[in-house]
Amino acid sequence: MKYALVTGGSRGIGRAVCVKLAHMGYNVLINYAGNTSAAEETLRLVREAGTDGELMKFDVANATETRAAIEAWQMAHEDEYIEILVNNAGIRRDNIMGLMPAEDWTAVLGVTLNGFYNVTQPLLMSMQFHKFGRIVNMASVSGIMGMQGQTNYSAAKGGLIAATKALAKEVAKKNITCNAIAPGFIKTDMVEGLDEASLKKTIPANRFGTPEEVAECVAFLCSPQAGYITGNVISINGGLYT
Ligand code: NAP
């Protein structure tokens, strides 16, 4: 059995990624922060796709909790390893910098950047040992172009892109790839409350993207066929920023 871990797999893009990886034959470990009913629905969809999965509730920003969850899984699966990691968990706490509370800065960097470290670091050794691994980090167009009202989110996603490039160089020899995806506006809970009608006028494709469109790209980057693509950032944004 082959295993994939998707952080933030309970909803939105993460859920679509879990289902797609299940269709590729992976047993999917569905991480989430607190929304158990949504995570259970993802697990149901994974099983419907023909494989199996497990729920893994932990806060990726919490180093102790994350390490304990990963170590417990590894102890229960001594002969197996997680060969695909999709660092997808993310939050936004938008505000102009002048009014941004310190906790909103820290929270966003905590989930995206510390989360990347907390989850990726303990999994690297076994990927290197098995000489195969796929890491996909969910960045954002905001981390490439910078968006007003999102200095925390842009900083976090920009940092994640830089980390992606650095790690890709460290692990390439071991047949491990590390890439980032930078979505534009994708229809999920995260964009609830945004003015879709006026925002879509700024997008050449004239619409928001779907989680499934992002999942297709994740799936390709995770496939053996994508073995020579590493350290890259792939934009999925309907032409919003090129
Ligand atoms: P979403 O619908 O809001 O879902 C967020 C997911 O992350 C949920 O599964 C949530 O778990 C999980 N999560 C949040 N904080 C967590 C934590 N501390 N530990 C573990 N899991 C946590 O978001 P989405 O739109 O699918 O976004 C997924 C990723 O794509 C994020 O990194 C986001 O920044 C990025 N992105 C999204 C868009 C967009 O337009 N939607 C654009 C660019 C980039 P619970 O269900 O338990 O809360």
Side-chain angles (χ1 to χ4, degrees), residues 2-234:
K2 297 190 297 179
Y3 291 90
L5 169 60
V6 180
T7 70
S10 50
R11 292 183 283 128
I13 294 171
R15 173 182 285 171
V17 169
C18 289
V19 174
K20 183 70 198 177
L21 292 175
H23 279 291
M24 288 166 68
Y26 280 90
N27 207 314
V28 188
L29 313 179
I30 304 159
N31 159 258
Y32 65 106
N35 196 335
T36 302
S37 59
E40 281 168 349
E41 173 59 9
T42 302
L43 181 57
R44 191 190 68 74
L45 293 168
V46 161
R47 289 183 174 145
E48 199 175 84
T51 54
D52 203 359
E54 287 173 51
L55 301 189
M56 288 181 77
K57 179 174 181 287
F58 60 86
D59 173 1
V60 297
N62 182 320
T64 316
E65 212 178 282
T66 302
R67 191 166 284 272
I70 291 174
E71 282 177 2
W73 184 88
Q74 196 62 73
M75 279 172 73
H77 300 80
E78 269 183 2
D79 299 329
E80 280 145 336
Y81 86 109
I82 294 167
E83 65 177 57
I84 290 179
L85 166 62
V86 183
N87 284 305
N88 166 78
I91 56 167
R92 65 181 182 92
R93 297 273 187 279
D94 297 352
N95 210 331
I96 55 168
M97 186 72 168
L99 294 177
M100 185 179 291
E103 53 268 31
D104 285 356
W105 175 267
T106 317
V108 170
L109 267 75
V111 175
T112 293
L113 277 184
N114 298 347
F116 162 77
Y117 172 82
N118 293 339
V119 182
T120 309
Q121 199 279 337
L123 297 181
L124 275 179
M125 192 78 91
S126 54
M127 285 186 189
Q128 287 174 312
F129 178 78
H130 288 92
K131 297 195 173 56
F132 182 85
R134 294 282 184 265
I135 301 166
V136 179
N137 299 320
M138 206 53 70
S140 167
V141 65
S142 184
I144 300 176
M145 63 186 279
M147 290 227 193
Q148 64 270 47
Q150 288 199 318
T151 50
N152 49 359
Y153 190 80
S154 295
K157 296 301 192 182
L160 184 62
I161 288 170
T164 299
K165 294 179 182 185
L167 180 60
K169 288 179 178 165
E170 283 184 20
V171 297
K173 271 200 193 104
K174 297 286 185 187
N175 201 23
I176 301 167
T177 66
C178 180
N179 290 289
I181 291 181
F185 292 101
I186 307 297
K187 249 179 150 11
T188 69
D189 294 346
M190 188 172 272
V191 299
E192 282 279 288
L194 297 187
D195 183 354
E196 184 174 344
S198 66
L199 281 170
K200 73 180 189 183
K201 290 184 195 138
T202 67
I203 305 168
N206 197 35
R207 66 174 178 88
F208 282 13
T210 66
E212 289 73 24
E213 287 172 314
V214 180
E216 285 296 329
C217 187
V218 175
F220 176 65
L221 290 174
C222 291
S223 69
Q225 290 80 3
Y228 205 53
I229 302 173
T230 197
N232 273 281
V233 188
I234 301 189

